[in-house]
Amino acid sequence: MNNQTKDKWDRHYDSCSFDTPLAAVVLRENQHLLPSQGESLDLACGRGGNALCLAENGLQVSAWDISESALKHLSLAAQKNNVTINTESRDVSERPPAPASFDVIVVSHFLERAQIDNIKNAIRHKGLIFYQTFIKDKVAETGPKNPDYLLDPNELLYFFNNWRIIHYREEGKVGLLDKGFRNQAMIIAQKP
Ligand SMILES: C[S@@+](CC[C@H](N)C(=O)[O-])C[C@H]1O[C@@H](n2cnc3c(N)ncnc32)[C@H](O)[C@@H]1O
């Protein structure tokens, strides 16, 4: 376990409010694409807005994060919303998901390029990835400053280039910058 990362995120979540978090846009606006049953994972879940949304859609849900403080928030929110979520304090860099272990994986605001192949392998045949995170071509200060944690143009398409692309959105700095979906890219893709 990377204790420095864990401590940093524990401190962050210790100072967060206990409001119920929202799912990322990629999931919130595309819930109709989820299967009616199956096993799902909110990877690097934070306070678990995605996990709560997956559970409300009837899926079995695992939610993993390195921060125990984040998972405490999520457990309380799950109780409040009367849903079951299997939370696990887990460093996904050291212990990625096993091959073919989930029907749906959601990743939001987390980018570790070395884990992309593990995430792809962990999804079952015909399973779905929902991925949304920050891009280098941002128009606002939001998101990480370190370019290692920001996507290059079309990088999510590159990661899943041999999968069926169901939905993709990335606007960069094209057109009216105060309108549209800026600062992030999102993809939904199905494993062949
Ligand atoms: C920016 S937050 C995003 C949280 C959530 N997915 C969201 O969209 O709100 C990044 C999350 O990644 C978690 N994280 C960072 N490194 C991790 C690792 N190696 N294994 C598991 N979780 C990690 C942090 O604890 C934090 O909750």
Side-chain angles (χ1 to χ4, degrees):
M1 173 90 59
N2 183 331
N3 286 323
Q4 231 179 334
T5 305
K6 180 188 179 313
D7 291 349
K8 178 188 119 176
W9 283 105
D10 276 344
R11 276 197 303 278
H12 169 76
Y13 289 112
D14 283 347
S15 65
C16 278
S17 78
F18 277 84
D19 305 339
T20 300
L22 283 178
V25 177
V26 68
L27 180 61
R28 210 162 70 227
E29 294 189 351
N30 297 289
Q31 295 171 51
H32 61 285
L33 296 173
L34 289 169
S36 56
Q37 55 184 21
E39 290 180 87
S40 66
L41 171 66
D42 184 359
L43 182 133
C45 59
R47 294 188 300 146
N50 300 322
L52 291 164
C53 179
L54 291 164
E56 278 155 15
N57 279 277
L59 296 173
Q60 291 175 57
V61 186
S62 297
W64 299 348
D65 201 282
I66 200 168
S67 163
E68 276 164 33
S69 172
L71 297 174
K72 217 180 298 167
H73 280 267
L74 175 53
S75 297
L76 281 174
Q79 224 174 352
K80 206 162 95 186
N81 289 271
N82 210 16
V83 292
T84 303
I85 293 170
N86 301 311
T87 59
E88 185 177 333
S89 163
R90 178 156 168 157
D91 183 338
V92 298
S93 314
E94 289 174 1
R95 294 175 55 223
S101 48
F102 291 102
D103 302 293
V104 176
I105 296 184
V106 183
V107 188
S108 64
H109 311 125
F110 177 79
L111 179 61
E112 203 181 300
R113 289 176 177 81
Q115 291 305 319
I116 296 297
D117 281 346
N118 289 326
I119 292 170
K120 290 176 76 176
N121 287 336
I123 296 176
R124 297 181 179 133
H125 173 60
K126 298 281 187 201
L128 296 173
I129 179 80
F130 290 69
Y131 207 130
Q132 172 184 329
T133 199
F134 296 99
I135 57 176
K136 286 189 180 147
D137 225 1
K138 298 188 282 166
V139 301
E141 288 290 300
T142 177
K145 288 192 175 49
N146 183 341
D148 289 350
Y149 300 127
L150 298 170
L151 292 163
D152 285 314
N154 284 350
E155 196 172 1
L156 284 177
L157 283 175
Y158 166 76
F159 291 157
F160 295 96
N161 68 349
N162 49 354
W163 289 30
R164 180 175 179 198
I165 307 301
I166 311 289
H167 178 77
Y168 186 72
R169 191 165 184 191
E170 180 189 337
E171 298 180 353
K173 292 184 178 144
V174 176
L176 296 175
L177 300 187
D178 57 345
K179 294 196 162 38
F181 179 77
R182 304 292 171 173
N183 308 312
Q184 300 188 48
M186 62 167 89
I187 196 167
I188 303 169
Q190 185 178 42
K191 189 169 189 168

